[in-house]
């Protein structure tokens, strides 16, 4: 069965410093991996996705993530945090099988705080 | 660009009542997914439909049912509501040619008193 583990429930950074949100996955099949962001009282927005193409994936708002099969990791990074990045971030896995579009399995989320 | 529409955005019900949540997918999207996000929790997959047929089932209680109609909109019907059903209910949609990319609606916040 597939799953994701977000290693930090809360990360706090200062504005202008790098962001690292860690995620490890477990999957029996070739996984599709995603990062979603949820601002307070808002819906879920797709930041980026990995679907077995390039291992370094660039997303919106300057975020990127690197798929490392040997480490079963898909950490999210950003060189310089903005105040507007403060939100909850979910690492998500979806298994690819039989050409169907599998449902999404969410991690527990990492709350990112950005200090001025 | 058109997004996923959910209605109502907020709903207050009492225990043992019923509720119906509606989801209108992005035009030309043929797959709809329902997720439940409890307070402080991660979203949990409930059920999905592809071309009006149930395609996958997750942790949906027996008290809940859902369907997808010919215009691809979907409805989640919830009966005998319990306090624990209070949550944010998300609908997402995707298109076959955009494999595995789900677009989420703003959610319906259900409060059961």
């Amino acid at each position: 069965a597939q799953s994701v583990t977000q290693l930090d429930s809360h990360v706090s950074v200062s504005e202008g410093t790098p962001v690292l949100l860690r995620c490890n996955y477990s999957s029996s099949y070739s996984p599709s991996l995603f990062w979603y962001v949820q601002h307070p009282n808002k819906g879920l927005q797709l930041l980026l996705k990995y679907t077995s193409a390039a291992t370094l994936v660039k997303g919106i708002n300057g975020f990127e993530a690197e798929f490392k099969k040997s480490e079963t990791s898909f950490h999210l990074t950003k060189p310089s945090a903005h105040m507007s990045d403060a939100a909850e971030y979910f690492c998500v896995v979806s298994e690819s099988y039989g050409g169907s579009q599998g449902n999404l399995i969410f991690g527990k989320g990492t709350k990112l705080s950005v200090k001025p | 660009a058109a997004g996923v529409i959910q209605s109502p955005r907020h709903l207050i019900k009492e225990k043992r009542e019923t509720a119906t949540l509606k989801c209108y997918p992005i035009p030309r999207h043929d797959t709809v997914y329902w997720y439940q996000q409890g307070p402080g929790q991660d979203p949990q997959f409930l059920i999905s439909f592809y071309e009006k047929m149930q395609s996958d089932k997750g942790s949906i209680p027996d008290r809940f049912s859902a369907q997808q109609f010919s215009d691809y909109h979907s409805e989640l019907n919830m009966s005998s509501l319990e306090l624990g059903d209070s949550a944010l209910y998300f609908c997402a949609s995707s298109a076959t040619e955009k494999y595995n990319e789900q677009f989420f609606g703003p959610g319906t916040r259900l409060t059961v008193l």
Side-chain angles (χ1 to χ4, degrees):
Chain A
Q2 68 275 33
S3 66
V4 287
T5 301
Q6 292 184 243
L7 301 171
D8 307 291
S9 59
H10 193 184
V11 170
S12 182
V13 300
S14 297
E15 191 175 21
T17 64
V19 175
L20 170 64
L21 304 184
R22 298 182 294 166
C23 173
N24 286 105
Y25 71 91
S26 173
S27 176
S28 304
Y29 302 94
S30 174
S32 294
L33 293 160
F34 311 80
W35 277 96
Y36 280 84
V37 61
Q38 184 177 30
H39 287 89
N41 299 313
K42 298 285 188 182
L44 293 154
Q45 182 182 20
L46 178 66
L47 276 179
L48 49 80
K49 64 177 180 178
Y50 165 78
T51 53
S52 73
T55 56
L56 181 62
V57 182
K58 293 188 183 298
I60 62 171
N61 301 335
F63 285 95
E64 62 181 39
E66 186 171 7
F67 174 75
K68 292 186 176 180
K69 187 174 181 179
S70 60
E71 300 176 10
T72 61
S73 69
F74 190 59
H75 301 333
L76 181 71
T77 60
K78 183 173 180 177
S80 176
H82 294 162
M83 296 297 293
S84 60
D85 293 329
E88 186 95 26
Y89 291 80
F90 291 98
C91 181
V92 180
V93 65
S94 174
E95 282 194 343
S96 307
Y97 54 94
S100 66
Q101 299 184 47
N103 65 75
L104 301 181
I105 308 297
F106 284 75
K108 295 300 182 185
T110 298
K111 184 175 181 180
L112 176 65
S113 300
V114 183
K115 298 174 290 187
Chain B
V4 177
I5 297 172
Q6 291 187 247
S7 68
R9 293 293 308 279
H10 300 272
L11 189 58
I12 299 175
K13 291 285 185 178
E14 297 200 352
K15 283 195 307 182
R16 293 180 288 278
E17 285 192 321
T18 62
T20 297
L21 310 185
K22 297 184 179 182
C23 170
Y24 297 86
I26 292 172
R28 292 180 295 282
H29 280 196
D30 49 20
T31 307
V32 170
Y33 311 78
W34 286 97
Y35 294 83
Q36 178 192 58
Q37 185 180 28
Q41 302 295 313
D42 54 293
Q44 296 289 318
F45 171 72
L46 293 179
I47 195 167
S48 63
F49 292 88
Y50 169 67
E51 284 290 344
K52 292 153 280 183
M53 300 288 289
Q54 180 182 309
S55 60
D56 203 357
K57 193 172 182 180
S59 53
I60 184 169
D62 292 340
R63 298 176 290 108
F64 294 6
S65 65
Q67 57 183 322
Q68 186 180 31
F69 295 85
S70 57
D71 63 352
Y72 295 102
H73 94 272
S74 178
E75 295 184 4
L76 177 65
N77 299 294
M78 311 159 73
S79 63
S80 302
L81 286 169
E82 302 173 356
L83 296 178
D85 296 329
S86 295
L88 195 53
Y89 290 84
F90 287 110
C91 171
S93 72
S94 67
T96 306
E97 66 270 19
K98 288 279 190 178
Y99 183 77
N100 247 343
E101 185 168 337
Q102 295 182 25
F103 292 84
F104 282 78
T108 294
R109 184 169 295 282
L110 172 66
T111 303
V112 181
L113 302 175

